[in-house]
Amino acid sequence: MAIGGLTKQVRSQENLLKAWQKIRANGLRSLSRDTRRDIAEFDQRAVSNIQRIQRQLRVGSFHFAAQSGIAKQRKGKRPRPIVLAPVENRVVQRALLQVLQKHPAVRRRILAPTSFGGLEGRRVVDAIGMLNRGIANGARYFLRSDIADFFAAIPRQKALRAIQDLVHDLEFSALLDAATQTDLLNLDELGEDAEYFPTRTHGVAQGNPLSALMGNLLLEGFDTKLNGRGITCLRYIDDFILLGPSRAHVRKAFLRASSLLGDHGMTAYDPDSEPEKANEGSTSKVITFLGVQVSPGIVQPSRAARARLMSKVREEIARGKTAMRRAAKGQRNGRGTYVQTLASLNRVIEGWGKAFAFCSARQTFEMLDNKITEELNSLRGFAALLCKELPADRRRRVLGVYLLVDTMRPGSPASLPEPEL
């Protein structure tokens, strides 16, 4: 392919608009208010913004803006390094991904039948379905593990060279290099936590649309060489599970898996030394994989997934109550009050439910619904008690229904006294 041919595909209006539509859909479902705000602002002038990006890509003046890092603290674990990129960055990154996903040589390398995450049309339900088929076909033992610090461990330059060898397009490769660099604005603020984030030379940002593809490309050998001779290896980005006829067979396969990962400077957790991050046992017992519990005759969200849902519900309600108290005292920002809290809760619950819609445990969902209803009743009672003695305007603010008088600003023409004649 001629040099620059792929870059022309990247900057085509059709490709950029498709990329924006995907970024927009994901962003509006985000639980982050900042992300939803950024998406809404870009959306106000989406067409002109896309045209601007297209022009900049055409003349070579587009630059990926610096990003911000957030070290999300986790109990008993090292912080999760979250990289927040401007919308323009994400649109171009997604546009690059779409071109790569269609490239024949790249597709041949990433579409192993047993690889699922970060691939179009490959979902958690597909991985769980193959897991169940493996057990039905005679697998008696399993070992489940994670690849440690997967995105930070990806050798970025090695992945870029592999892509260049497949696409043979120097201009495209240069743009891809820039799109996968992690330049943080707030390194000093992160302090010691900065060590968990990717650098310009090593690692890729979790959340960058291109990161999963780079990992899948490097692990092609992992996906193909571990399957066969009675062993099935299913991988969803950094989570994988080995199935086999016995512990000896599966353990031998795990040693092979560790060796293949070591070729890329990666490691996997061993159930013997880190049982909280990896486990093994008979397939006749409960298997937890990708947030799902699989046992004979039933598939349901894992205990941890259920606990995270309820924790998020309570977190949203607590945030809403705080905002409602402020509104009761006269604050006028209208954010996080009763109506907004209900909308946020609905977004959380619906998103979680759709992620586990393939599960078969109706009783589990009914139990969660009952718990959520109790929390909603508590929220409703709190709002009613808070509003009981309030004047009408503050009651409206607590409920989150906009007051027209709040559009008035001191000093606006309509609020000034009429001049004397």
Side-chain angles (χ1 to χ4, degrees):
M1 184 171 290
I3 293 178
L6 292 180
T7 309
K8 188 175 181 180
Q9 293 180 36
V10 171
R11 67 173 183 254
S12 74
Q13 189 173 59
E14 179 184 1
N15 190 51
L16 287 171
L17 283 172
K18 182 180 177 182
W20 159 240
Q21 289 165 0
K22 185 67 175 180
I23 296 298
R24 181 181 183 276
N26 290 340
L28 292 177
R29 290 195 299 268
S30 173
L31 299 181
S32 166
R33 289 179 172 82
D34 290 340
T35 296
R36 297 198 301 273
R37 180 203 62 212
D38 292 345
I39 292 294
E41 289 178 357
F42 189 96
D43 199 23
Q44 289 177 357
R45 301 186 62 192
V47 174
S48 60
N49 284 332
I50 293 299
Q51 291 173 342
R52 171 176 51 80
I53 292 172
Q54 186 180 32
R55 288 193 300 271
Q56 291 172 339
L57 288 170
R58 184 184 301 117
V59 301
S61 64
F62 180 86
H63 297 287
F64 291 93
Q67 303 133 82
S68 298
I70 297 177
K72 186 175 181 180
Q73 302 301 317
R74 299 182 292 173
K75 187 176 181 180
K77 298 181 180 180
R78 63 174 55 186
R80 184 188 300 280
I82 298 174
V83 176
L84 301 179
V87 176
E88 287 85 350
N89 286 23
R90 283 177 273 164
V91 169
V92 178
Q93 289 163 347
R94 179 72 198 183
L96 283 159
L97 174 65
Q98 290 168 176
V99 171
L100 282 172
Q101 287 176 331
K102 294 188 295 184
H103 194 285
V106 174
R107 287 179 63 83
R108 285 193 294 270
R109 289 283 297 272
I110 63 175
L111 291 180
T114 54
S115 176
F116 298 92
L119 300 166
E120 289 185 306
R122 304 277 185 94
R123 302 166 297 165
V124 170
V125 61
D126 303 307
I128 298 301
M130 190 170 285
L131 170 61
N132 275 322
R133 289 193 294 275
I135 296 172
N137 290 334
R140 296 291 176 262
Y141 201 83
F142 78 92
L143 189 154
R144 187 209 62 78
S145 184
D146 292 349
I147 302 172
D149 302 320
F150 179 66
F151 292 104
I154 290 176
R156 192 177 72 90
Q157 292 297 333
K158 186 176 182 180
L160 290 172
R161 287 194 299 270
I163 294 173
Q164 170 58 19
D165 290 343
L166 293 172
V167 303
H168 306 293
D169 189 317
L170 296 178
E171 184 181 0
F172 178 88
S173 296
L175 185 60
L176 184 66
D177 185 359
T180 55
Q181 292 180 17
T182 304
D183 293 318
L184 297 180
L185 287 166
N186 60 331
L187 273 177
D188 291 340
E189 295 176 16
L190 290 169
E192 295 180 355
D193 290 335
E195 66 178 282
Y196 303 120
F197 288 81
T199 65
R200 289 178 63 91
T201 59
H202 201 83
V204 291
Q206 185 174 353
N208 184 323
L210 291 155
S211 297
L213 180 139
M214 297 177 78
N216 286 337
L217 182 68
L218 286 177
L219 294 182
E220 177 211 13
F222 181 93
D223 296 325
T224 56
K225 294 177 182 178
L226 286 173
N227 282 281
R229 298 182 181 180
I231 294 293
T232 299
C233 176
L234 310 176
R235 183 178 64 84
Y236 194 100
I237 304 181
D238 58 338
D239 292 309
F240 68 93
I241 188 167
L242 296 162
L243 302 171
S246 67
R247 185 179 190 276
H249 284 83
V250 170
R251 268 288 168 175
K252 184 177 180 180
F254 181 68
L255 291 175
R256 176 66 169 148
S258 299
S259 175
L260 290 168
L261 292 173
D263 292 341
H264 303 298
M266 300 176 177
T267 59
Y269 297 114
D270 190 317
D272 286 342
S273 56
E274 295 176 283
E276 72 283 0
K277 296 180 179 178
N279 62 302
E280 60 183 322
S282 169
T283 57
S284 64
K285 299 179 180 179
V286 174
I287 300 174
T288 301
F289 184 51
L290 304 179
V292 178
Q293 285 182 194
V294 179
S295 54
I298 190 168
V299 175
Q300 63 180 326
S302 69
R303 290 183 179 180
R306 285 176 262 159
R308 284 194 295 271
L309 171 63
M310 292 308 304
S311 176
K312 185 62 180 175
V313 166
R314 293 179 182 117
E315 177 185 318
E316 290 293 326
I317 287 176
R319 183 183 292 115
K321 287 181 176 179
T322 298
M324 290 158 66
R325 290 189 189 97
R326 291 172 178 166
K329 295 177 181 178
Q331 193 176 78
R332 300 186 180 192
N333 65 14
R335 296 172 60 184
T337 50
Y338 185 69
V339 170
Q340 287 78 30
T341 301
L342 290 180
S344 182
L345 283 168
N346 185 69
R347 187 183 301 110
V348 169
I349 297 163
E350 183 179 8
W352 190 94
K354 288 181 176 179
F356 293 99
F358 60 88
C359 291
S360 59
R362 182 178 180 86
Q363 288 184 337
T364 299
F365 283 85
E366 290 176 344
M367 176 193 68
L368 287 169
D369 275 333
N370 290 336
K371 289 183 177 180
I372 291 169
T373 298
E374 290 177 7
E375 297 293 338
L376 290 173
N377 288 339
S378 171
L379 176 65
R380 184 169 62 247
F382 174 87
L385 186 62
L386 192 63
C387 291
K388 190 174 182 180
E389 304 297 333
L390 291 178
D393 58 343
R394 292 195 182 186
R395 190 180 308 127
R396 278 267 295 272
R397 293 188 186 109
V398 168
L399 294 177
V401 180
Y402 200 85
L403 276 163
L404 294 176
V405 295
D406 285 349
T407 61
M408 304 293 294
R409 294 289 183 269
S412 65
S415 65
L416 295 176
E418 294 184 9
E420 294 182 6
L421 298 177

